[in-house]
Amino acid sequence: MPKVVLARLKTATTLDEVRQQLKGQGFTRNEMKAMVRSMGFFDGLEVFLSKWNWDNYASWHLYNWKPQDDETVMKAIYEAEQLHPYSCGRYKNDFAQFEKDWKAETYDPGATLAFEDAQVEVLEVVQEEVNNIDPQEVQKAVIRTQDAKRDRQRKRRMKASKGSRYQKRYF
């Protein structure tokens, strides 16, 4: 189980700061503007964030928010959707459809919103991390998987080489 905190976001930024941060990554000016707007909506919000060991605790992930902030979070995520690289433009400049899906609770972002440590002011720890993963069991499972893969490859090689060694001869 992850560490969950109530935190205040400090995400206000300018277009020049975003441009310097993302220089050379292929973002267009409009995508950078959408990023600035999205971060502007998140600035000052108190939200629940989580930190996970699967990404080596590199960033905070949006976990939940207070019901009174739902409208603001909806607008922030819509702006983030304008620059989402894998959304295939499903909500590109279509706020009405986005709002309809959001209110029907059928919206799926397809990604996690993440924040850097510098953008987060932790107010309260709601849940401490519980790491119930046994490293020895994980290592045993990895070894079993590697053994099974090696056995499959060995069987495949033996089967392929059998045909070349034992050929029928027709007289």
Side-chain angles (χ1 to χ4, degrees):
M1 292 178 12
K3 179 178 186 175
V4 178
V5 298
L6 175 64
R8 181 175 293 118
L9 296 175
K10 299 179 283 183
T11 58
T13 187
T14 64
L15 186 59
D16 291 331
E17 290 173 354
V18 170
R19 187 179 302 128
Q20 287 299 322
Q21 184 181 4
L22 301 175
K23 189 173 186 177
Q25 293 186 23
F27 285 98
T28 65
R29 185 173 176 81
N30 287 338
E31 289 171 336
M32 288 184 205
K33 285 179 180 179
M35 189 178 297
V36 170
R37 286 191 304 268
S38 177
M39 290 297 128
F41 280 117
F42 277 120
D43 190 45
L45 274 183
E46 290 183 7
V47 294
F48 294 95
L49 302 173
S50 62
K51 231 177 196 185
W52 297 79
N53 66 354
W54 57 262
D55 71 343
N56 295 324
Y57 309 103
S59 57
W60 291 97
H61 305 275
L62 184 62
Y63 191 74
N64 207 344
W65 53 89
K66 296 176 182 176
Q68 64 265 26
D69 295 329
D70 192 58
E71 190 77 19
T72 307
V73 172
M74 177 185 68
K75 291 175 184 174
I77 292 177
Y78 171 74
E79 291 298 337
E81 189 74 34
Q82 300 307 299
L83 59 105
H84 192 293
Y86 304 113
S87 70
C88 301
R90 63 184 170 160
Y91 296 114
K92 198 76 162 177
N93 300 321
D94 191 3
F95 183 74
Q97 181 63 42
F98 178 82
E99 185 176 31
K100 179 182 169 192
D101 289 348
W102 181 274
K103 293 193 180 200
E105 296 182 1
T106 58
Y107 170 72
D108 178 26
T112 304
L113 284 170
F115 302 95
E116 299 171 2
D117 289 335
Q119 297 174 316
V120 174
E121 176 189 342
V122 176
L123 302 174
E124 173 189 354
V125 176
V126 176
Q127 170 183 301
E128 286 292 340
E129 178 186 18
V130 177
N131 188 356
N132 55 6
I133 299 172
D134 183 13
Q136 292 174 340
E137 286 298 318
V138 170
Q139 188 61 32
K140 288 178 185 177
V142 167
I143 290 170
R144 281 194 302 268
T145 303
Q146 290 171 343
D147 288 345
K149 181 180 178 184
R150 188 179 59 247
D151 290 344
R152 284 193 307 271
Q153 288 174 341
R154 186 179 299 144
K155 284 180 183 178
R156 202 171 328 144
R157 281 193 304 266
M158 287 174 64
K159 190 175 182 180
S161 65
K162 222 179 211 184
S164 61
R165 281 189 281 163
Y166 301 106
Q167 295 179 354
K168 286 187 177 182
R169 295 191 176 159
Y170 299 97
F171 296 102

